[in-house]
Amino acid sequence: MTITSHGEELILDKERALYLPEHQLLAISDLHLGKSAHFRSAGVQVPSTIAQNDLQRLGLLIEKYNPKTLLINGDMFHHGLNSDIDEFAQWRKQFSGLNFLLVKGNHDRLANADYASMQIDIHEPSFCLGPFCFIHDAPKCTEEELYPISGHIHPGVTIVGKAKQRLKFPCFYFGKEYAVLPAFSTFTGLYNIYPKTNEQIFAVTPNLVLEV
C-alpha cells in the first residue's frame, strides 16, 4: 500500500517493512536476531529456522526494492553474540554494497567493534531524514520539527469479522504525534493499538496491507 505522510510517498509492505522511494531507503524495526538462539540456550524449545526465515524475507525485500540503505529502527539483535548472529554475519556478505544503518534500541547491546565487523553503522538515539526522525522509542524524540517513526511496542490490531470472529494482525500506526512500525520478526508478541480520531491503522495481513 502506498500512502502520503508529511509530503512524502511511503510504501507499506506486507512483509512488515517501510520503503521511502525518494530516499531509496528500506526501513524495518525489531528484527530481534538472536532471540530464538537465546531461548534455545536457556532450554526453551524454539525452532532454529526462525532467524533463517526472517533473513530470507529481508533478502527478498532488498531484491524487490533495491535500496541504497537498509535502516533497522532498533532491536536488531536481541541479546549477546550467538549462532543466529553468526548466521546474519554470513548472510550480510551477499549485500556488501548496501549501507546498513542501525538506530539502537533497548536490546542492542553488542560492542561497537561487533557492529563494525558486520559493516553496520550505528546511530544513537535517532537518524533523521527529510521530514522524519527514525527512533526506536517515539516519546524520546527531541526533534520537535520532525515526525518520529518508531518501533519498540510491536503494534497490533484486532479485526472483528461478520461472524464475530476476532483476528489479530501486526500493523502500521500513523498517529498525530508519531508513527510506529510493525515488528519485523515473526517471533514477537503484539500490543493492541486503539486509534483515536484522524489516526490511521494499517493491518498487515498475509496477503496485503489494508487500512482499518
Side-chain angles (χ1 to χ4, degrees), residues 12-117:
L12 313 183
D13 195 282
K14 68 180 181 64
E15 292 298 337
R16 311 184 190 189
L18 173 71
Y19 184 61
L20 284 65
E22 184 174 338
H23 305 282
Q24 293 182 268
L25 180 138
L26 180 67
I28 64 171
S29 188
D30 297 278
L31 183 55
H32 285 285
L33 285 173
K35 183 176 181 179
S36 58
H38 177 64
F39 272 65
R40 289 195 299 274
S41 68
V44 180
Q45 298 301 310
V46 177
S48 60
T49 56
I50 290 175
Q52 296 171 5
N53 291 341
D54 285 343
L55 289 175
Q56 182 180 38
R57 289 169 49 227
L58 184 53
L60 291 173
L61 281 167
I62 292 170
E63 293 176 4
K64 177 179 180 178
Y65 292 104
N66 191 27
K68 288 185 176 179
T69 301
L70 172 67
L71 185 146
I72 300 95
N73 202 24
D75 287 359
M76 179 176 188
F77 298 127
H78 183 78
H79 205 262
L81 294 171
N82 58 36
S83 59
D84 284 354
I85 298 175
D86 291 340
E87 188 164 345
F88 167 82
Q90 292 299 315
W91 174 90
R92 168 74 174 95
K93 293 177 181 179
Q94 65 185 302
F95 302 107
S96 58
L98 179 62
N99 187 22
F100 278 60
L101 302 183
L102 170 63
V103 175
K104 274 194 170 182
N106 53 297
H107 282 284
D108 294 308
R109 303 168 187 169
L110 300 187
N112 287 341
D114 294 322
Y115 294 113
S117 70

